[in-house]
Structure formats: structure tokens, C-alpha cells
Amino acid sequence: MNDGVASSPMVVEAKYEDVSQLNFSKLYSPKMKSVYWRYFGFPSNDNDEVITKQNVVCIKCHKVLTNHGNTTNLRAHLQHRHKDLFKALCQENDIQVPPRKTPRNLNHPPLSKRNVSSRRVKLEFINNRNHHENDEDEDMDEAAVAAAAMQAEDDNASQTMLYETMVPLTYDDADNLVEEEDRSISIEPRDLKYARKRKSTATPGTMHFTRANIKHEEGAGGMQVRSYITNLAEAMADIVIHDVRNVETLYDQGISEFIRLAMGNLSSLPMPQKIDALITEQHASKFVEIGDFTRDFTAEKPYSLAFEQWINVEQRRFLSIYHHYLSDETQCVRSIMYATIEYNEYVSFDEVLADFYLPNCTLAIVSYDDEEDLLQTYLKEKNIPVVLCYVSVIDKCLRHVFALEEVATAVEQVRDIIQRHSAEISSKVAELPAYNEHFPWTLYELLKFFAESISWSEDMDQLVITAKTVTEALSALVIALDTLRGEDMPLCSMLSPITSKILIKKLGIAEQDEPLMMNIKRTIASVLQSQIIANDTLTSAALLDPRFHRLTTIDNLDSCVRMLTQKYNKVFGGSMGTDSQSGDSTEVAPASVSSAPTVTIKTEPNVKSGSSSAAAVAASHSAKKSKLELLFDITEIPSAPKRDADSTVETDLKRYRNEVIVQLDESPIEWWNKMGHIYGTLRDLATLYQGVPGVVNLNFKKVLREQIYDYNKRFMLTGSQNQIDAILFLNRSSSLKDTIYV
């Protein structure tokens, strides 16, 4: 940073989306009457343009101070930080500095002498307030100053901050005002005065209703500031987008009055039509970019679609459409919210999905189970497989369990008891779990709270036992979701293996199980079996994932081989020398394919405990295991397979399942890039499933309270379809990192 004082530059107030982009290279020292301004200047850039006048910078130490329009902070900084310079300045200009006195107030007891003598932060006070001719905002409440000083007494860092930001105005600085008046309005929350060193947790691009706070970082070559409001209409549009709210809510009495006062008693707010126009303009600009990317990408590479159905407070049905694909640059699955449409019988999906080349769509994930639905009928006509979102499958299991007569009766009794004793319970616990009909997990939390958090009388023992039995049986679903949460983007290839493991490990019927436990396990297993295990597409995806091909259920292997062979011939134009088309397929694995609906799993060959390789593997994985490794407990290492001269889908799959063993923490995408040449047909087929997640979006990773909060915000959206689409689209684009186009 150049400490030189530039000549008189022009003043430019710019709005920065990211405050870290605001850097200064020069300091502009204005022509002021006060001698203190010799050692301070406004930050300016290489073009001699003042960046902001809400802060000044010390030429000697580069300390950034807040500019209140007077020299109090300037004088205090020199007196505290540069004592010799300040003493010489006072002697040269014959400046008399009155002694600092502790402010007193009749309503508050005076501070003790011990506190006054040990206090490093000295406060100035003058008894005659009539001597001041400054504005009312320069007068500080004496009691607040004294309280702040007492708080700072035990914190050395706070003492320094209080000295430079909270010194009362005790001099008449009316003649020291900046020549060029700047009326940029900003708000500074009260807590920022006491915590200037607190890091901002807001994401780049969000609004900060705070006074600009420039902080110099040594060696960074620039400054960091918090952005402030320069365009009220744009700021109000950002509130609508970030908070997912209707534009009309900005004009409710409370928030509109707050905005007017915050902007300096503003006479009127921008019209709602202007806010709508700004949101529409932002959406149109970004949607054009997404449309171009979508048409180019889907025409050349495989991808998947996801559809989330929801309703609003007006009972209108909407459909949010997501586009998932594999990024060539990062080799990770990316997700884009493409659009939100009002879902009715007049929707034309040919027009809605016009940007997508549907023959390259590998799979469609839906959040609701309705095979006769208009959307699912359309997708089947386009030969696009449809799979129910795994989160929706888990919710379906929960609803089936809570619909059981014995469980439903127990839940009703628990809700009645908790409601009856709610006042007494609320006095002992922080918060009671609330039931929400759209989130069946709230019933699980309610039963768990009833059984584990409260001690009941003996007459409640049977009900407590029932609640514990239900929550224990449902713990299998908790493990399944928790395993998915451990992944950055859970792929569809994980669903069948995870479900197989849960069915065997957690939902198997044991002799000691009570009738209720067995009934719940069978209910959950039937849903998982029909929705996940019996799905050929999910089984095929698991077979093509080198981590899971040996860990998934093999009930439908023959049909999977036929499906993969047909897909290979159609997509890649291969000519298979196999009779799979006729329905006759030879066995492709040593283990026979069972036609019974029993859940089976093929175990891997054991590694000898005495071998050095086993010891090395155990040592490398003893430090930390992923949730997948904890679930499957696999420690084998892959072998080095060899390539056959002639291969088909069937022969490649047989060799692949017999030869390949891959660690669970290895990336399947990287493995196929490295070893795929050995299994040529499977490598090509694997590319179709590598960008297909097993969920619609990642909302399930949030805690239940946040999921309900987000649901309620979206539920309250009203207005035109275009307006709702724009708000949701821009909200996701601004809050997620997975909207990068490569």
C-alpha cells in the first residue's frame, strides 16, 4: 500500500458484492482546518478516486477508524497510539487538552476508586452540555458509556476498541466537517461496537446493513469492508430472494417503517413493481445462461433430472425441476435448479423440457410416489426410468409404520399425554418436539422424547415400552439416512447396497423379537424391497460402481444384464454376440441367482490375518473410516485384473464381479478412468450413472427444524408462476456452490 497523499480526487461510492474486493492503494488527505487531518486520509484507488468517506486511515500506522464527521476519533487515536507525535502537535499549535473525567449519572452509582485507577480506558466528560453545538447523534448516554467501560475493564482488547470507537464527543468540531458532504446511509448494530474483531459469517453476495468497516491486513495489499446500502430497490430485492418471501411482505407496517427509519426517515419506499422488475431481470439474465449450457451439455453427455412436487398456502401444486450432471473439471456431481412450474393437467412437458435432449437422460428422480401421474407417464413414454427419491422412500416407510394400528394408538396416547402435561414439561425442558404432518420424522422425535427424556409413573410403563420398541425398529432408517448424509452427493449406485445391508443387519427377524417389533420390521422391509431392491435400474447402477458390485442383492441379475446389454447397443451402437435379447443369459457369477425374494449378499474372500498385506491395510484404515466403511466394514484391497481380447456386457460383467475389489473410500469415477480399459463395455455404461444422485436435493442434510422452516417459507410464496420461479431460482443460485457451469 502506498502511503503517499494523493491530490484532490473525485469521490466515487461503489457497491461491492464481495467486500474483500475493495482495496486501496493511496490515501487522500482533505484540506481541513483541524491539524489532526495532517496524519489521516481517505482510502482511494489508483485512479485517485475516493473509495469511501465513512472511514479514515492513519498515515503512520495504517489503522482504520470510523469517520463520524468530526475529529474526536482522530485526536483520540493520536493521543493513544502516537503519544510523542500528539504531544509535539499540541505544543506546536498551543492545544490545551482537558483532563479526562469519569461520567456520572444520578440514576447510577459512581464507580469505585479502584476501578477508576485501574481502568486503561479513560472516558471524557464535560458537565456543561450546553457547550456542545453538534447534532443530537453526537451525544452519548453517560450511563451507557460507564457500563461499557466497566465491561471493557477485564478485556484488554475491548479497552483498545472502546477507546477508539466509543470516546464521547467533548470538543466542538463543527468547523472540521468534510468539505464534500457524503450522504450514504448505513446502519451499525449495537453489538458491532463491542466486537469489531468478530468474523463475518455471511456468505459473499449477501447484504450487510452495517457501517462500512475497513480492516487492513498486513501483507494482503488491500482492505476488507462490509458493504452498505447504496441502492434501496436492489437491497429490497435481495431481501426477497435471500429470505424466500413475497414482495408484498416488505410493505407490511413493521418492516416498511424499519426500512424508512434505517434509511434516514425516507419519505417513501420504491414501488413493488420496481422490486418485481429487478427480480425478473436478474432471473432472465441467469436463466439464459443456464439454457445455453443445458442445451449444449445434454446434447452430448448423459445427465439426470429430478422433480420435487410441493404445494403453497393457496393449495396450488408446483413442480421444481433439477438438472444433475457430472462436471468434467471437478469430476463431481453438480446440481442446478432449472425451473419451477405450476403443476396442473394443462402442463406441456415438451415445452417445459425443451432445452433438454431427453434421449441422453439416464434417470429421473421424483419426490412423490404416483405411477399414474402426468409427469411419470410422460417420462415412461420417453423411455426414461423413474426412481423414487430415497428420502421419500424412507418417509414412506415411516408413514406405513405409523399407520399400523398398534403404533397409531400409541402415538395418539403419547401426543395426548404430552399435550396434557405440556405446562409442567415445558418448565423442565427447553422445548417440546412439535408434530408436523408433512414431516413423519417429527413423530419419531416425539416418541423418542417421550421414552427417553421424561420419567413417567408406573402406569405408563407399557406405553413407554411401546414407544421404545418403535424407535428402536426405526433406528435402521436413521442409519440409512445418516450414511447418505456422510456423502457430498449421494449417488444412486449407493441405494441398493445400503438398503441390502440395512435389511440384513438391522431388519432381520430374530427369535427374541416381540410381535410389534416383527410387524414393524416386515413393514419397513416390504417398502424397501419393492422400491429399492427390486428396481433394475438401481441394481444396475450398483453393479457398475466398483465399490458396491459385490455388496448388493442379486435377485434381479438376469434382467439387469439384459437391460444393460440393450442400453449399450442403443447408446453406444455395440453389436453383442450374446443371446441376452432372447432372454437366455448364462450365470455371470459363481454364486447362483436366487429367484426367491429373500435378501442375500455375497461375502468377499477373507484376507489372512497373518499376512503383511492385511496388516498394512488395517494400519492404513485404523485412523479414520467413512460412514460407508463403518456400515460395510470392508478392508480388502483390489487385485490386478487382466483384459480379455473379446468382451461383451455379459462377459465383462462376469470377470468384473469376480476380479474387482475396491475400497469404499475410493472414487468410482477415478477408478473407471484408471481401470476402465480392462472392461470396455462396462466403462462406457458406467458413464451413464456417474452423474445420477439418489435424492432430489440435499435438504435432508439439514436438521429437522431447518427443513421445516424452509418448507414453511416456500409454503407461503404466492403470486404468479414466473415470480415464484424467479425467487426460488435466484435463492438457490445465490446460496449454493453447485451451480457452477463447466
Side-chain angles (χ1 to χ4, degrees):
M1 181 181 68
N2 186 5
D3 297 339
V5 179
S7 58
S8 178
M10 54 185 283
V11 179
V12 175
E13 288 290 341
K15 180 179 180 181
Y16 293 85
E17 292 297 329
D18 188 353
V19 296
S20 64
Q21 299 174 0
L22 180 59
N23 299 323
F24 72 90
S25 57
K26 297 181 180 180
L27 294 177
Y28 161 55
S29 184
K31 297 179 181 179
M32 309 298 293
K33 296 180 180 180
S34 175
V35 295
Y36 301 128
W37 277 100
R38 298 178 186 175
Y39 304 100
F40 296 90
F42 294 120
S44 61
N45 55 27
D46 291 330
N47 297 326
D48 291 335
E49 297 173 347
V50 171
I51 299 174
T52 178
K53 285 191 174 181
Q54 294 198 354
N55 293 84
V56 294
V57 182
C58 176
I59 295 176
K60 295 296 182 181
C61 65
H62 301 163
K63 178 71 175 179
V64 180
L65 306 177
T66 303
N67 178 23
H68 294 291
N70 52 62
T71 60
T72 303
N73 278 0
L74 280 58
R75 174 191 48 73
H77 175 77
L78 294 176
Q79 185 177 4
H80 181 65
R81 296 288 189 181
H82 310 286
K83 297 180 180 179
D84 295 338
L85 176 64
F86 180 78
K87 183 177 180 181
L89 189 67
C90 292
Q91 293 176 354
E92 178 184 352
N93 296 275
D94 195 21
I95 298 176
Q96 300 296 328
V97 181
R100 296 178 179 266
K101 297 180 181 180
T102 303
R104 300 182 185 273
N105 192 296
L106 296 177
N107 298 326
H108 298 270
L111 301 176
S112 64
K113 291 184 178 180
R114 178 182 59 83
N115 290 338
V116 174
S117 61
S118 63
R119 187 181 307 115
R120 293 176 57 189
V121 180
K122 299 181 179 180
L123 304 173
E124 296 181 355
F125 176 75
I126 186 168
N127 293 324
N128 187 5
R129 290 196 175 186
N130 295 328
H131 178 68
H132 291 280
E133 297 178 359
N134 293 339
D135 297 335
E136 292 182 0
D137 60 343
E138 296 180 348
D139 293 329
M140 176 175 289
D141 181 69
E142 300 167 14
V145 173
M150 294 176 66
Q151 177 182 352
E153 199 168 346
D154 297 328
D155 189 349
N156 293 337
S158 297
Q159 293 171 4
T160 302
M161 288 186 287
L162 280 170
Y163 184 89
E164 298 190 5
T165 60
M166 297 195 63
V167 177
L169 306 181
T170 58
Y171 296 93
D172 186 358
D173 298 312
D175 57 342
N176 296 326
L177 297 177
V178 180
E179 293 176 347
E180 298 175 1
E181 185 179 5
D182 185 357
R183 291 187 56 80
S184 295
I185 306 299
S186 61
I187 308 166
E188 182 175 4
R190 180 179 300 176
D191 62 327
L192 289 179
K193 295 182 179 180
Y194 301 91
R196 291 177 58 191
K197 295 186 179 181
R198 182 183 303 168
K199 291 186 177 180
S200 173
T201 58
T203 57
T206 57
M207 294 179 303
H208 303 271
F209 298 104
T210 61
R211 187 179 301 276
N213 181 20
I214 304 177
K215 181 178 181 181
H216 174 67
E217 293 184 353
E218 195 70 22
M223 297 180 300
Q224 292 184 352
V225 299
R226 287 190 174 93
S227 57
Y228 54 92
I229 301 175
T230 58
N231 188 314
L232 180 58
E234 291 182 0
M236 294 174 68
D238 288 342
I239 293 176
V240 172
I241 293 170
H242 293 311
D243 291 351
V244 188
R245 62 166 67 228
N246 297 310
V247 175
E248 293 77 13
T249 60
L250 297 178
Y251 298 88
D252 292 342
Q253 183 177 357
I255 189 170
S256 61
E257 184 67 19
F258 171 78
I259 294 175
R260 278 195 288 268
L261 292 175
M263 296 302 295
N265 292 323
L266 198 65
S267 59
S268 62
L269 299 180
M271 296 298 292
Q273 293 80 359
K274 185 173 183 179
I275 310 300
D276 283 332
L278 287 172
I279 295 174
T280 302
E281 181 181 354
Q282 291 184 50
H283 174 255
S285 175
K286 292 191 177 182
F287 187 76
V288 168
E289 180 184 357
I290 282 190
D292 294 339
F293 168 80
T294 300
R295 284 188 294 271
D296 295 339
F297 187 94
T298 61
E300 299 177 357
K301 299 178 181 180
Y303 65 95
S304 65
L305 294 172
F307 301 88
E308 181 184 17
Q309 185 179 205
W310 56 279
I311 61 173
N312 72 344
V313 66
E314 300 171 329
Q315 297 302 308
R316 295 160 58 192
R317 280 200 309 168
F318 291 89
L319 199 66
S320 293
I321 305 172
Y322 300 83
H323 168 211
H324 302 294
Y325 65 96
L326 181 66
S327 167
D328 292 336
E329 181 179 335
T330 62
Q331 292 295 292
C332 297
V333 179
R334 297 293 186 185
S335 176
I336 301 174
M337 174 180 275
Y338 176 75
T340 298
I341 62 172
E342 188 166 0
Y343 190 26
N344 52 48
E345 58 184 357
Y346 304 107
V347 171
S348 173
F349 285 105
D350 285 327
E351 297 179 2
V352 173
L353 303 176
D355 288 336
F356 295 91
Y357 183 64
L358 295 181
N360 283 345
C361 182
T362 302
L363 187 65
I365 307 291
V366 296
S367 65
Y368 59 99
D369 188 17
D370 185 1
E371 296 183 357
E372 303 301 325
D373 177 67
L374 178 64
L375 170 64
Q376 299 195 31
T377 302
Y378 173 83
L379 294 174
K380 291 177 182 177
E381 291 175 355
K382 298 295 181 179
N383 296 319
I384 300 176
V386 179
V387 172
L388 185 63
C389 170
Y390 199 72
V391 177
S392 300
V393 173
I394 299 298
D395 285 350
K396 187 175 182 178
C397 293
L398 291 171
R399 296 184 193 279
H400 278 59
V401 169
F402 292 131
L404 297 175
E405 182 177 358
E406 187 173 355
V407 177
T409 303
V411 169
E412 190 65 30
Q413 292 177 357
V414 168
R415 293 180 61 186
D416 180 69
I417 292 173
I418 290 181
Q419 186 176 6
R420 189 189 318 159
H421 300 280
S422 59
E424 182 181 356
I425 297 174
S426 298
S427 63
K428 298 180 181 179
V429 298
E431 184 177 359
L432 287 174
Y435 168 66
N436 189 305
E437 61 178 343
H438 302 290
F439 293 85
W441 280 111
T442 55
L443 284 180
Y444 169 84
E445 296 292 341
L446 189 68
L447 292 178
K448 188 176 181 180
F449 174 83
F450 175 81
E452 300 178 3
S453 301
I454 304 176
S455 298
W456 300 96
S457 57
E458 294 182 357
D459 58 334
M460 296 286 185
D461 286 351
Q462 186 57 45
L463 187 58
V464 172
I465 293 174
T466 301
K468 288 184 177 180
T469 302
V470 175
T471 55
E472 181 182 353
L474 294 179
S475 64
L477 302 180
V478 176
I479 295 173
L481 273 188
D482 192 48
T483 304
L484 290 188
R485 290 190 182 102
E487 299 295 306
D488 293 335
M489 177 64 77
L491 302 178
C492 67
S493 61
M494 303 171 56
L495 304 187
S496 181
I498 289 176
T499 304
S500 298
K501 192 69 173 180
I502 293 298
L503 287 170
I504 295 171
K505 191 174 181 179
K506 294 295 183 180
L507 297 176
I509 304 299
E511 294 182 359
Q512 66 272 19
D513 286 344
E514 299 177 355
L516 177 60
M517 176 68 77
M518 290 190 292
N519 195 11
I520 295 175
K521 287 184 176 181
R522 291 193 184 100
T523 301
I524 298 175
S526 64
V527 176
L528 296 178
Q529 185 77 28
S530 61
Q531 295 291 337
I532 305 297
I533 302 299
N535 190 292
D536 291 351
T537 302
L538 295 179
T539 303
S540 300
L543 287 173
L544 294 173
D545 191 324
R547 301 172 298 172
F548 301 122
H549 71 93
R550 298 162 61 88
L551 303 174
T552 188
T553 304
I554 315 297
D555 291 346
N556 48 351
L557 181 60
D558 289 343
S559 60
C560 290
V561 172
R562 288 194 296 270
M563 185 187 73
L564 290 175
T565 301
Q566 294 172 1
K567 187 178 289 291
Y568 183 84
N569 292 336
K570 178 181 178 181
V571 177
F572 303 101
S575 178
M576 296 288 111
T578 178
D579 55 355
S580 295
Q581 299 288 352
S582 62
D584 298 328
S585 177
T586 58
E587 193 178 47
V588 296
S592 60
V593 179
S594 173
S595 58
T598 1
V599 177
T600 58
I601 187 167
K602 180 181 176 183
T603 58
E604 297 76 23
N606 294 327
V607 180
K608 294 182 179 180
S609 58
S611 64
S612 59
S613 61
V617 172
S620 62
H621 287 268
S622 60
K624 183 179 180 180
K625 287 187 176 182
S626 67
K627 291 185 178 180
L628 285 175
E629 292 174 308
L630 292 174
L631 180 66
F632 291 101
D633 194 21
I634 301 300
T635 59
E636 290 82 353
I637 58 175
S639 58
K642 298 180 180 180
R643 180 181 181 181
D644 287 348
D646 300 326
S647 63
T648 63
V649 171
E650 187 174 3
T651 57
D652 279 352
L653 188 60
K654 181 178 180 179
R655 292 189 302 109
Y656 165 79
R657 294 190 62 223
N658 289 331
E659 298 170 349
V660 176
I661 303 174
V662 176
Q663 296 294 346
L664 291 172
D665 59 351
E666 186 168 351
S667 167
I669 300 172
E670 294 179 0
W671 188 90
W672 278 112
N673 291 337
K674 179 176 60 176
M675 307 293 294
H677 63 281
I678 301 175
Y679 313 100
T681 59
L682 301 187
R683 175 195 59 194
D684 296 335
L685 288 170
T687 60
L688 303 178
Y689 297 92
Q690 289 172 353
V692 182
V695 293
V696 171
N697 52 47
L698 300 180
N699 289 343
F700 76 98
K701 287 191 172 186
K702 301 178 181 179
V703 298
L704 190 58
R705 179 199 300 265
E706 293 182 7
Q707 294 182 43
I708 297 175
Y709 181 70
D710 291 343
Y711 175 90
N712 290 335
K713 287 199 301 183
R714 187 178 63 177
F715 179 76
M716 296 304 298
L717 283 181
T718 58
S720 67
Q721 170 188 306
N722 294 336
Q723 187 181 39
I724 294 176
D725 179 24
I727 293 173
L728 293 177
F729 176 88
L730 293 172
N731 173 265
R732 183 176 175 87
S733 297
S734 63
S735 60
L736 296 182
K737 297 179 180 179
D738 56 358
T739 54
I740 303 173
Y741 318 126
V742 293

